């Protein structure tokens, strides 16, 4: 039977072999011309131009992501404001308040006007940034420590360790973050010691299960990989495997959740301060200012608007940053 | 053989004579017997990616005559599956046929209408996909899934038709099977169910994409025998996609070899195998262990060699948790005794679940021993203290199967290879660096590979890194758990040769766990055959291969694809 294995008009037609003698059907034996780069399937030594790994890949995709660029610039701006408030205003946020300026319109040197108490709005907004960020970063740090440790142990050791940690996690999950914080902050001991550190601790207490759950999941995924077995047969201890091999591989999702949590903690701090149970009045906070500006909303909306805008920008920048990081670090969400 | 089978279609169970099927006149004005059933003419397939268009398949010509079996062979990424999927209009969203034409029985189906495509699929072209574990919907009964196929193609779909389809595919008690869910089936049974679905509508062409690569060899043989019988009876053409040249040569009338998206050689199976013309095919034929066995590894010094490991009545039991805290014992390893000779390779072969990996894990101290003993150099490893274990681990190192999972993706190659030295506090930073470079040289990898990360390396390169890591502590015994099973044949051949070379140079002792008997013949000196936890046969390679004493061993040997071709 004739065989049209290579069309007659193909240039790439090689020598035709005639199978000798046998009863094999007379089919064409097509051989492609040998190209330079084939037939040499030796040890592959060619390498990509640039070394790459998860972080470098993530960075190169982040660099081209407008959301990341915008959110990173916003975040840097907020951090700069918090670190160097005097660059933006020379006015003092609390010691130069005079009631004669109450609800005053913007004047030279006070571009945003005055609050009900006669304080400079710009100064209050600028100086309020540090408290929000400190609470946010403090709580995130606490959540990272507790969440990674407990989640990592639960995921890596499994069994009864996992059972206990997971049940504790469920209990804390059942309490909404804000509600839990309100209740705990109302306890006298907490009230007396109210401050940035106390608030961060309270937020950590109710915020860690989220982080622990993510860590546990990521660790479970890595734990059965063969490189973990290889490390075990090297004689490495369980804890050193956990810290040297398992956790670094779980870093991606942990970073994403940490960034998102930071935004949430800043919101919660503002909410609690708004309710009057977060930071004490002696510490400047956007939440306080928003709360204090409420009665004069109709006459002096600027006093409420500016701290709210700063709060929104700060939270938005962390949330967007978290989203951008998730796109870059989570291979499942990556669109390639 | 490629005879005209159009008129001898016995599968008229559901479908009357198909000779009257409408065919647009193709370019060739040949008679009906000479019209190829499927013809890919100069086909190019392009994928759109974020980094631009990638031409995955170029200038590819593949012809399948009616009643003929054609195999496409190539390594992963050679474009063999892509070509076949294109014929069925199953390319992914971002892929398209950018060049050439596809003809089905003379009709141009390069860019078919949706309607025509749906009509073609199932009834004209059937498909048996690769992975039997993921290609059946777990929430529907098998019968439902077969019925769905019949229904979609407008064929009678009463219970008896479903049962018949299952029976045809070799699931004899179809009445019972159709009411079972996929998870109640073994891998082989699932593959049969998929074959039932693929052939349910008596297609004229069956595309089988690695239909048996996930199965044990003995099951593979049964399934392929059955598929062959079935397609012969019905006169179905088969386009078989496989990475296994031996299997292709054994089962197909004609073989098409693809490399990097191009057809490098195609022709009658026998001719191509015995007289490969293209250098790539020649390499491929040489690399297939079952076709050209060669001796790799150190020379056998006979019985003079010292026994380094003695395993006596080794038992491993697992508790299987039942309901209400009841548990039953499962014996994964059942009173196994054998010895490993120093400087030699002992292979443990068996099908999946035979307990071969469990033995390796016990020797590596990764699993506790239930009873029995393992003596290494006369010392019972179960009596080791933690400190003794730590020292012992320097002498026994593993190499695992999955080249993608055996290296920490967050560590550079250099740090991965260096890690054993750090853990065991060998040398200082400078001497460690020298050692790592030395190891990279040994496994024939360039030194600048050191700062790369595993995701940049190919499977073969990763496996070389894993070997380098295992050798970092100068072990005496290396346990290779399916160390070459996941690699393409050419790469597998290279890695096996490397292992053989290292054995000769360093006097290594290998415990080689594998399901592939062809590989065993190449590398091993002694063979242990395991069946469901028990050791059924032990002996030298020559004894076991020339003169198998057990039925089971014989069956395993018979099932090596391409085995008979050797004697031709």
């Amino acid at each position: 039977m004739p065989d049209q294995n290579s069309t007659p008009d193909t240039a790439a037609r090689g020598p035709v072999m005639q199978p000798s003698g046998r009863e094999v059907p007379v089919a064409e034996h097509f051989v492609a011309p040998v190209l330079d780069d084939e037939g040499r399937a030796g040890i592959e030594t060619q390498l990509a131009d640039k070394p790459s790994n998860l972080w470098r890949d993530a960075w190169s995709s982040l660099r081209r992501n407008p959301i990341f660029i915008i959110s990173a610039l916003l975040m840097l701006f907020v951090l700069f404001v918090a670190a160097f408030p005097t660059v933006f205003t020379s006015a003092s946020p609390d010691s130069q308040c005079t009631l004669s300026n109450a609800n005053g319109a913007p004047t030279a040197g006070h571009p945003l006007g005055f609050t009900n108490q006669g304080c400079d709005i710009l100064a209050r907004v600028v100086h309020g940034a540090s408290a929000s960020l400190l609470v946010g970063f403090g709580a995130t740090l606490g959540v990272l420590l507790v969440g990674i440790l407990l989640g990592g142990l639960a995921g890596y050791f499994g069994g009864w360790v996992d059972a206990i940690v997971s049940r504790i996690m469920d209990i804390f999950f059942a309490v909404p973050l804000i509600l839990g914080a309100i209740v705990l902050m109302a306890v006298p001991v907490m009230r007396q010691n109210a401050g940035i550190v106390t608030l961060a601790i309270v937020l950590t207490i109710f915020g860690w299960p989220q982080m622990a759950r993510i860590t546990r999941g990521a660790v479970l995924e890595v734990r059965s990989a063969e490189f973990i077995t290889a490390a075990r047969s090297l004689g490495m201890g369980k804890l050193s495997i956990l810290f040297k091999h398992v956790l670094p591989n779980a870093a991606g999702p942990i970073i994403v959740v940490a960034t998102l949590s930071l935004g949430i903690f800043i919101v919660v701090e503002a909410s609690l301060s708004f309710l009057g149970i977060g930071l004490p009045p002696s510490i400047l906070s956007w939440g306080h200012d928003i709360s204090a500006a409420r009665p004069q909303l109709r006459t002096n909306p600027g006093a409420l608007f500016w701290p709210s805008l700063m709060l929104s920008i700060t939270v938005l920048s962390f949330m967007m940053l978290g989203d951008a990081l998730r796109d870059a670090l989570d291979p499942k969400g990556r669109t390639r | 053989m490629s005879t005209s089978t159009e008129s001898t279609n016995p599968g008229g169970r559901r479908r009357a004579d198909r000779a009257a099927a409408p065919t647009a006149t193709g370019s060739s004005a040949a008679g009906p017997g000479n019209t190829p059933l499927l013809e890919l003419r100069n086909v190019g397939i392009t994928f759109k990616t974020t980094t631009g268009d990638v031409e995955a398949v170029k200038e590819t010509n593949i012809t399948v005559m009616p009643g003929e079996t054609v195999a496409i062979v190539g390594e992963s990424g050679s474009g063999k599956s892509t070509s076949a999927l294109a014929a069925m209009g199953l390319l992914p969203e971002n892929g398209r046929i950018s060049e050439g034409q596809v003809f089905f029985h003379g009709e141009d189906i390069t860019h078919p209408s949706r309607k025509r495509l749906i009509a073609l699929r199932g009834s004209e072209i059937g498909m048996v996909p690769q992975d039997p574990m993921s290609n059946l919907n777990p929430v529907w009964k098998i019968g439902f899934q077969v019925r769905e196929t019949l229904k979609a193609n407008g064929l009678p779909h009463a219970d008896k038709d479903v049962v018949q389809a299952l029976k045809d595919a070799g699931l004899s008690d179809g009445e019972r099977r159709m009411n079972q869910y996929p998870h109640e089936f073994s891998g082989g049974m699932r593959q049969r169910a998929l074959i039932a679905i693929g052939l349910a509508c008596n297609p004229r062409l069956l595309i089988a994409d690695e239909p048996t690569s996930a199965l044990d060899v003995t099951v593979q043989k049964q399934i392929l025998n059955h598929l062959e019988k079935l397609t012969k009876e019905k006169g179905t053409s088969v386009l078989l996609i496989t990475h296994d040249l031996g299997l292709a040569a054994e089962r197909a009338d004609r073989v098409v070899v693809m490399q990097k998206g191009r057809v490098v050689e195609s022709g009658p199976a026998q001719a191509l195998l015995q007289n490969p013309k293209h250098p790539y095919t020649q390499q491929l034929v040489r690399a297939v262990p079952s076709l050209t066995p060669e001796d790799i590894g150190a020379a056998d010094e006979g019985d003079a060699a010292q026994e380094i490991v003695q395993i006596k009545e080794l038992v491993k039991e697992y508790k299987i948790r039942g309901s209400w805290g009841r548990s039953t014992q499962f014996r994964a390893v059942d009173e196994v005794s054998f010895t490993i000779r120093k400087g030699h390779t002992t292979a443990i072969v068996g099908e999946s679940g035979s307990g071969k990996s469990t033995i390796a894990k016990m020797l590596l101290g990764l699993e506790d021993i239930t009873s029995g003993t393992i003596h290494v150099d006369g010392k019972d490893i179960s009596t080791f203290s933690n400190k003794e274990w730590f020292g012992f681990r320097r002498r026994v190192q593993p190499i695992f199967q999955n080249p993608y999972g055996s290296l920490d993706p967050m560590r550079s190659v250099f740090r991965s290879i260096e890690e054993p030295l750090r853990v065991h506090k060998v040398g200082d930073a400078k001497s460690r660096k020298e050692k790592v470079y030395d190891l990279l040289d040994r496994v024939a990898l360039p030194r600048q590979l050191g700062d790369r990360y595993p995701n940049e390396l190919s499977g073969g390169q990763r496996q070389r890194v894993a070997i380098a890591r295992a050798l970092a502590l100068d072990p005496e015994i290396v346990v290779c758990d399916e160390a070459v099973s996941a690699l393409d044949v050419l790469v597998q051949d290279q890695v096996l040769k490397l292992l053989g070379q290292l054995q000769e140079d360093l006097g290594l002792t290998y415990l080689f766990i594998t399901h592939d008997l062809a590989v065993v013949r190449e590398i091993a000196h002694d063979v242990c055959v395991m069946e469901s936890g028990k050791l059924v046969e032990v002996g030298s390679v020559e004894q076991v291969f020339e003169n198998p004493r057990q039925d089971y061993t014989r069956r395993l040997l018979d099932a090596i694809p391409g085995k008979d071709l050797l004697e031709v």
Side-chain angles (χ1 to χ4, degrees), chain A residues 144-197:
Chain A
L144 278 173
L145 283 176
V146 178
I148 289 179
L149 193 69
L150 291 182
L153 291 176
Y156 187 60
F157 288 98
W160 61 269
V161 182
D162 186 24
I164 292 173
V165 173
S166 294
R167 292 299 81 76
I168 297 175
M169 222 149 66
D170 290 344
I171 293 169
F172 278 90
F173 249 125
V175 185
L177 178 59
I178 290 220
L179 189 65
I182 289 174
V183 172
L184 205 57
M185 286 306 284
V187 173
V189 188
M190 294 295 185
R191 279 253 51 90
Q192 284 148 23
N193 298 309
I196 290 174
V197 176

Side-chain angles (χ1 to χ4, degrees), chain A residues 41-293:
Chain A
I43 302 151
E44 328 108 273
T45 47
Q46 78 277 23
L47 288 168
D49 301 341
K50 256 189 255 162
S52 86
N53 66 24
L54 178 71
W55 303 111
R56 271 181 225 148
D57 282 355
W59 174 237
S60 72
S61 80
L62 279 177
R63 260 191 329 200
R64 277 176 276 134
N65 185 349
I67 295 192
F68 171 76
I69 295 169
I70 295 171
S71 61
L73 287 178
L74 281 177
M75 191 190 73
L76 286 178
F77 170 69
V78 173
L79 286 178
F80 188 75
V81 169
F84 307 103
T86 45
V87 173
F88 297 89
T89 176
S90 53
S92 155
D94 41 16
S95 61
Q96 294 169 358
C97 304
T98 44
L99 278 176
S100 57
N101 284 334
N103 297 324
T107 58
H110 307 283
L112 301 183
F114 296 90
T115 65
N116 194 32
Q117 299 288 323
C119 302
D120 180 88
I121 292 181
L122 177 65
R124 285 198 73 86
V125 167
V126 164
H127 285 272
S130 62
S132 284
L133 289 181
L134 281 177
V135 171
F137 277 106
T140 305
L141 198 69
V143 160
L144 278 173
L145 283 176
V146 178
I148 289 179
L149 193 69
L150 291 182
L153 291 176
Y156 187 60
F157 288 98
W160 61 269
V161 182
D162 186 24
I164 292 173
V165 173
S166 294
R167 292 299 81 76
I168 297 175
M169 222 149 66
D170 290 344
I171 293 169
F172 278 90
F173 249 125
V175 185
L177 178 59
I178 290 220
L179 189 65
I182 289 174
V183 172
L184 205 57
M185 286 306 284
V187 173
V189 188
M190 294 295 185
R191 279 253 51 90
Q192 284 148 23
N193 298 309
I196 290 174
V197 176
T198 316
L199 192 55
I201 290 173
V202 169
L203 292 180
T204 302
I205 290 174
F206 292 100
W208 70 270
Q210 167 85 345
M211 183 63 72
R213 185 170 279 191
I214 292 289
T215 312
R216 177 176 171 271
V219 168
L220 277 179
E221 204 179 305
V222 179
R223 164 174 96 149
S224 52
E226 280 179 346
F227 64 85
I228 301 295
T229 321
R232 276 176 66 203
S233 40
L234 272 179
M236 279 176 85
K238 285 193 167 187
L239 278 178
S240 73
I241 290 179
L242 177 62
F243 286 107
K244 282 187 180 155
H245 285 292
V246 179
L247 286 179
N249 277 287
I254 291 175
I255 290 174
V256 172
V257 174
T259 325
L260 292 171
S261 314
L262 222 160
I264 295 171
F265 290 141
I266 292 174
V267 173
V268 174
E269 179 273 320
S271 316
L272 292 174
S273 299
F274 178 87
L275 294 172
I277 52 170
L279 295 173
S282 57
I283 301 175
L284 278 178
S285 157
W286 294 328
H288 285 310
D289 287 6
I290 295 170
S291 172

Side-chain angles (χ1 to χ4, degrees), chain B residues 420-440:
Chain B
L421 301 169
R422 274 174 180 277
V423 171
H424 286 264
K425 300 193 175 65
V426 179
D428 53 10
K430 196 166 155 259
S431 71
R432 282 202 291 259
K433 189 171 178 178
E434 265 167 35
K435 176 83 186 175
V436 173
Y437 284 145
D438 190 44
L439 286 163
L440 281 171

